[in-house]
Amino acid sequence: EAQVTQNPRYLITVTGKKLTVTCSQNMNHEYMSWYRQDPGLGLRQIYYSMNVEVTDKGDVPEGYKVSRKEKRNFPLILESPSPNQTSLYFCASSLSQGSNQPQHFGDGTRLSIL
Amino acid sequence: AQTVTQSQPEMSVQEAETVTLSCTYDTSESDYYLFWYKQPPSRQMILVIRQEAYKQQNATENRFSVNFQKAAKSFSLKISDSQLGDAAMYFCAYSGGGADGLTFGKGTHLIIQP
């Protein structure tokens, strides 16, 4: 089954404790991205990757890191999480860069930073 | 930068009736795609319908259709014969020719009254 898998689905942690949210897709997609969703703000892009070892900042990259060492994986790293990073996070992938490519979303990760 | 505006934070409709959700966008590009995503309480992001800007014909998917007015930069979603399962957040999204991903509106919460 074609899917984007995020882990964990839920996480409660404390300020400053490094965490990683994993994202994996099994569709051999080139393009992957991370979004955060906050009430009243919709979804905003954090980082994206057009292929292995190619990443770039989205609209709200501060406080986040990503890596793309393998095509299928695109982890989101919070080196020193802060309460303002409490949010719902989505990973998405598409076949390639391009406006006509529908994005497939993971089921989301709810992060709470105390 | 592109912007997407959904002016209705919440809409309510009686079951079996028709409802229209509004979306406007701002762009200087001529080639782009527009999307409507549905987010039920399960938090999944489900693609409802998409429209290519170069196509004049409005997209339709079963009970869902759009009214795409390119000159007015308007992209509304019409849901006919509303069902209880249509209750969700609906997000309008824009995708242009660049490498960045989707630009989302802030969402419309759709309530279906039985």
Side-chain angles (χ1 to χ4, degrees):
Chain A
E1 179 189 351
Q3 59 186 4
V4 178
T5 304
Q6 295 178 228
N7 279 296
R9 293 291 311 279
Y10 302 89
L11 179 63
I12 301 174
T13 188
V14 296
T15 299
K17 186 176 181 182
K18 180 180 178 180
L19 67 90
T20 299
V21 184
T22 64
C23 174
S24 181
Q25 49 91 6
N26 62 359
M27 296 168 279
N28 201 36
H29 284 173
E30 290 185 351
Y31 187 91
M32 298 184 74
S33 57
W34 277 101
Y35 296 86
R36 63 176 287 173
Q37 181 181 358
D38 301 290
L41 296 179
L43 284 80
R44 295 175 292 166
Q45 191 180 48
I46 303 170
Y47 268 95
Y48 62 91
S49 169
M50 288 189 283
N51 214 323
V52 176
E53 301 292 1
V54 181
T55 64
D56 208 345
K57 296 177 181 178
D59 296 321
V60 288
E62 295 78 20
Y64 303 95
K65 284 176 58 177
V66 293
S67 69
R68 189 90 182 275
K69 294 184 171 58
E70 304 165 283
K71 198 171 187 179
R72 63 182 292 129
N73 296 323
F74 189 46
L76 179 69
I77 303 156
L78 286 70
E79 294 268 3
S80 183
S82 62
N84 65 9
Q85 293 177 297
T86 292
S87 188
L88 177 59
Y89 291 84
F90 286 98
C91 179
S93 72
S94 61
L95 189 59
S96 64
Q97 163 199 350
S99 60
N100 64 335
Q101 299 293 328
Q103 296 210 16
H104 300 256
F105 283 84
D107 287 340
T109 296
R110 172 76 70 186
L111 282 185
S112 294
I113 316 295
L114 304 177
Chain B
Q2 293 79 24
T3 58
V4 176
T5 302
Q6 293 180 248
S7 59
Q8 306 151 316
E10 186 172 280
M11 292 281 285
S12 181
V13 65
Q14 290 289 132
E15 192 177 3
E17 296 195 343
T18 295
V19 63
T20 298
L21 308 184
S22 301
C23 173
T24 59
Y25 59 95
D26 189 25
T27 183
S28 58
E29 297 175 313
S30 57
D31 187 21
Y32 51 87
Y33 277 67
L34 296 162
F35 305 83
W36 278 98
Y37 280 88
K38 171 185 178 181
Q39 187 181 46
S42 66
R43 303 184 330 209
Q44 290 177 299
M45 293 292 289
I46 302 166
L47 179 63
V48 174
I49 198 165
R50 65 175 178 168
Q51 174 78 42
E52 297 93 331
Y54 63 85
K55 286 189 177 178
Q56 292 188 338
Q57 186 174 6
N58 289 323
T60 299
E61 290 285 344
N62 300 313
R63 298 183 294 107
F64 298 86
S65 61
V66 298
N67 182 5
F68 174 49
Q69 303 287 330
K70 190 173 184 178
K73 295 179 182 173
S74 172
F75 182 60
S76 60
L77 174 70
K78 186 171 84 170
I79 306 173
S80 304
D81 185 26
S82 299
Q83 300 175 1
L84 294 177
D86 295 334
M89 282 291 289
Y90 286 82
F91 292 97
C92 179
Y94 169 100
S95 179
D100 47 351
L102 296 165
T103 299
F104 285 87
K106 294 181 179 181
T108 297
H109 182 212
L110 178 63
I111 298 167
I112 310 295
Q113 306 274 9

